[in-house]
Amino acid sequence: MKTIYIYFSLLLFSTFVVQAQNNSSKLSNSVSSTIETLAKAFLTQTKTAGLSIAISKDGSVIYSNGFGYANIEENIKMEPNIQMRTASVAKVITATALGRLASEGKLDFDAPIKTYIPYIKEPYANLTTRQLAGHTSGLEHRPKGNRYKKKQYTSIRETVELMKAPLLFQPDTDYKYSTHAYNLLAAVIEGASEKSYLEYMQKYILDPLKMANTKAENINMLSKKDAQLYYVKKNQLRKEKITNGSYKIPGASFRSTPTDLVKMINAYTGDFISEAVVAEMFKSHQLMNGKKTNVGIAWRSSIDAFGNKVIEHAGNWLGARTVIAYFPKENLSIALMVNTSCQVLIEETAHILAQVIRNNDKEKTSPIDLKNQKIELIFNSNEGTREFKGTFSFSQARGILKTTSKHFLKANPIFYLGSNNDYTLATSYGLLYLNLSDNNTIKGEIYTYFNRQSINPKQEKPLASFKSLRKD
């Protein structure tokens, strides 16, 4: 099928950003309106096809909405119940099953996997669930070559036996991300439960957690409930060829919705998974040299730009960019799914939207009110620093930053997050945190996460900073 190229000017693209029906919202009108504004800005700046968002608080879905398109060619708008490719967020779906089995005493995270997989061969037999789930096993990311990707696999054993390579390192001496490790974990689930992987997932995970729109992806059985896939290249949105992912269902190839993903968090806050097991799953693994990986049983520990602890996992695969983020202090979770391959900083974007919810409970403050303020901007990169001139304007709840640069900070909308100095900059990489203050002179700092899993991003050098030009 011929690749479809779709070109957008900013004006034309703004007509493309169509909000779908909001199936569930228990937020105030002002908060819902802010999320809608940010979602539309996200689509416009990233040039992605569609975005679906769900937010849960204290075990209840308080917001779900879709923006843009699930299928441009068929004129199908994005809606909350449209299923998208999970990419690596599938790993925490599989991990939820591991947690359930451990809670029932049927699985020991530290037992050799040969305990559960009688057909497993060396050098994999003595690997443990903890090592595989936390990416310290030494297993390759995926098998060598590409021929195996063309087959439609019907059993987990077939996919387990694809891996024949030696281990990259002695287990627990290093960290190496491995999607194929989750095929082995699916086999562990089969051995521990005495059920096939997909049967166990459906009957004991998806059904009890009411994840009705989650399923293993089969590209031969997609319907209009499944989003089309796209990718962005040189500011052009293009239709992605849908490839067979049956060789990596446990680690990448489910279809789901953000609403189902935030429902999954209920497994970690009730009695579905025991409190002791949840603690083990969220706890960082430690290598033999004492270094912590900040990854537990699939889940990653992080710190957002507002100083909050986050438990999360993101995904990036052909036609999909996804994240599920859980903030344990507030029992708040947010899931985002985009039906487009892109370089979006999806975790940062989710954290910005979570802060909108959080700031709703804080004392409201007035945002900055300045127009056509001349500024100088310093951009920090691995290649050093560069300086640009520009202008800054902000009035009411939004503004714009324009600079002489030719990269992604050339012209960006700014939005107020509702409290303190919290703002966000909409960019081609998603929503970035902007700390903005006005003490006789405007000062702004734009942050991304260089060491997200170790320290608050605001403790590092900002990605860019700007201030008012001094008047002669």
Side-chain angles (χ1 to χ4, degrees):
M1 182 176 181
K2 186 178 179 180
T3 302
I4 298 175
Y5 294 83
I6 306 168
Y7 301 88
F8 296 97
S9 68
L10 198 57
L11 177 62
L12 288 176
F13 193 82
S14 65
T15 65
F16 171 80
V17 183
V18 179
Q19 181 184 0
Q21 180 183 2
N22 186 344
N23 284 359
S24 172
S25 180
K26 298 178 182 178
L27 299 176
S28 67
N29 290 337
S30 63
V31 173
S32 294
S33 178
T34 299
I35 293 173
E36 177 183 337
T37 297
L38 294 178
K40 290 180 177 181
F42 173 92
L43 287 178
T44 300
Q45 292 294 311
T46 62
K47 305 266 190 308
T48 47
L51 167 67
S52 190
I53 303 171
I55 303 169
S56 177
K57 182 78 167 65
D58 296 330
S60 296
V61 178
I62 59 173
Y63 182 89
S64 63
N65 212 345
F67 302 87
Y69 283 87
N71 189 317
I72 300 167
E73 295 73 35
E74 298 292 331
N75 197 35
I76 299 174
K77 298 173 185 177
M78 183 62 74
E79 295 186 359
N81 64 347
I82 288 181
Q83 298 159 349
M84 284 184 273
R85 181 173 271 181
T86 60
S88 286
V89 168
K91 291 178 175 66
V92 290
I93 298 176
T94 295
T96 301
L98 298 173
R100 177 63 175 168
L101 288 166
S103 297
E104 295 175 328
K106 297 178 180 178
L107 172 62
D108 181 347
F109 291 155
D110 296 306
I113 60 172
K114 65 184 179 183
T115 306
Y116 310 102
I117 314 174
Y119 59 84
I120 198 69
K121 298 177 181 178
E122 295 294 346
Y124 313 131
N126 287 303
L127 298 175
T128 69
T129 293
R130 192 184 301 275
Q131 291 165 344
L132 290 164
H135 308 290
T136 65
S137 67
L139 200 71
E140 286 267 18
H141 179 38
R142 61 173 68 96
K144 301 292 186 183
N146 289 303
R147 293 182 62 185
Y148 67 88
K149 296 180 181 180
K150 298 179 181 180
K151 179 179 177 179
Q152 180 68 35
Y153 295 90
T154 58
S155 74
I156 291 298
R157 180 167 181 168
E158 285 181 288
T159 66
V160 166
E161 294 178 344
L162 288 172
M163 186 63 78
K164 299 177 174 31
L167 297 179
L168 298 172
F169 49 80
Q170 181 185 351
D172 292 335
T173 62
D174 204 351
Y175 176 94
K176 171 69 174 178
Y177 190 81
S178 173
T179 288
H180 199 84
Y182 280 73
N183 290 353
L184 274 65
L185 291 172
V188 167
I189 289 169
E190 291 188 332
S193 69
E194 299 182 341
K195 301 280 190 300
S196 73
Y197 170 72
L198 290 180
E199 179 187 1
Y200 182 82
M201 294 302 297
Q202 188 66 53
K203 187 174 180 179
Y204 296 96
I205 304 300
L206 304 180
D207 287 348
L209 296 178
K210 297 181 170 47
M211 297 171 66
N213 289 308
T214 301
K215 64 184 180 183
E217 182 181 84
N218 184 332
I219 64 172
N220 300 314
M221 299 178 66
L222 299 180
S223 70
K224 289 187 176 181
K225 285 192 69 178
D226 292 281
Q228 181 55 261
L229 307 178
Y230 301 90
Y231 68 101
V232 176
K233 186 175 182 180
K234 296 181 179 179
N235 285 326
Q236 298 170 2
L237 186 64
R238 309 180 184 193
K239 190 174 179 180
E240 182 70 82
K241 180 181 179 181
I242 300 180
T243 54
N244 187 346
S246 65
Y247 66 94
K248 58 176 182 179
I249 287 171
S253 195
F254 274 90
R255 287 264 173 159
S256 189
T257 66
T259 301
D260 273 12
L261 294 178
V262 296
K263 285 180 180 178
M264 184 179 67
I265 297 298
N266 293 339
Y268 296 83
T269 59
D271 56 5
F272 191 80
I273 299 177
S274 74
E275 186 175 346
V277 170
V278 170
E280 283 296 303
M281 295 183 73
F282 290 171
K283 182 178 71 176
S284 170
H285 195 59
Q286 185 168 299
L287 300 178
M288 287 182 178
N289 63 7
K291 181 180 178 181
K292 290 187 175 181
T293 64
N294 290 313
V295 179
I297 305 298
W299 292 99
R300 303 169 181 171
S301 298
S302 180
I303 302 172
D304 72 9
F306 312 96
N308 301 293
K309 182 179 179 180
V310 194
I311 306 296
E312 61 191 351
H313 205 294
N316 188 16
W317 185 35
L318 296 175
R321 191 73 175 102
T322 58
V323 69
I324 172 68
Y326 171 59
F327 302 84
K329 182 179 178 181
E330 298 101 341
N331 197 10
L332 173 71
S333 60
I334 181 166
L336 308 181
M337 300 185 79
V338 181
N339 61 330
T340 309
S341 296
C342 51
Q343 293 182 312
V344 166
L345 300 169
I346 198 78
E347 294 98 329
E348 282 92 324
T349 299
H351 299 172
I352 290 292
L353 295 177
Q355 188 67 7
V356 172
I357 306 296
R358 194 178 289 115
N359 279 349
N360 187 52
D361 297 326
K362 294 181 180 179
E363 182 179 352
K364 300 297 183 290
T365 54
S366 298
I368 287 169
D369 190 354
L370 287 172
K371 293 181 180 178
N372 298 319
Q373 186 87 4
K374 292 184 178 180
I375 58 101
E376 57 183 1
L377 180 141
I378 298 175
F379 181 77
N380 300 305
S381 71
N382 293 333
E383 300 172 355
T385 62
R386 286 175 285 171
E387 295 184 8
F388 304 98
K389 297 293 190 291
T391 59
F392 168 87
S393 294
F394 199 93
S395 182
Q396 301 300 321
R398 64 183 65 193
I400 189 163
L401 175 70
K402 294 182 178 180
T403 77
T404 55
S405 73
K406 294 182 179 180
H407 56 52
F408 72 100
L409 293 179
K410 184 177 181 180
N412 304 90
I414 301 170
F415 302 94
Y416 185 48
L417 299 181
S419 186
N420 302 321
N421 296 329
D422 296 342
Y423 295 75
T424 187
L425 195 74
T427 78
S428 57
Y429 292 99
L431 303 178
L432 302 184
Y433 176 60
L434 169 61
N435 186 276
L436 201 55
S437 59
D438 178 21
N439 295 318
N440 298 320
T441 179
I442 191 70
K443 181 180 179 182
E445 295 171 323
I446 303 165
Y447 290 93
T448 188
Y449 300 1
F450 296 104
N451 294 288
R452 74 170 65 249
Q453 295 176 315
S454 303
I455 60 175
N456 185 325
K458 286 194 289 188
Q459 293 178 256
E460 299 185 297
K461 181 184 292 187
L463 176 68
S465 58
F466 60 87
K467 62 182 178 180
S468 298
L469 282 171
R470 289 179 295 182
K471 296 180 180 179
D472 295 331

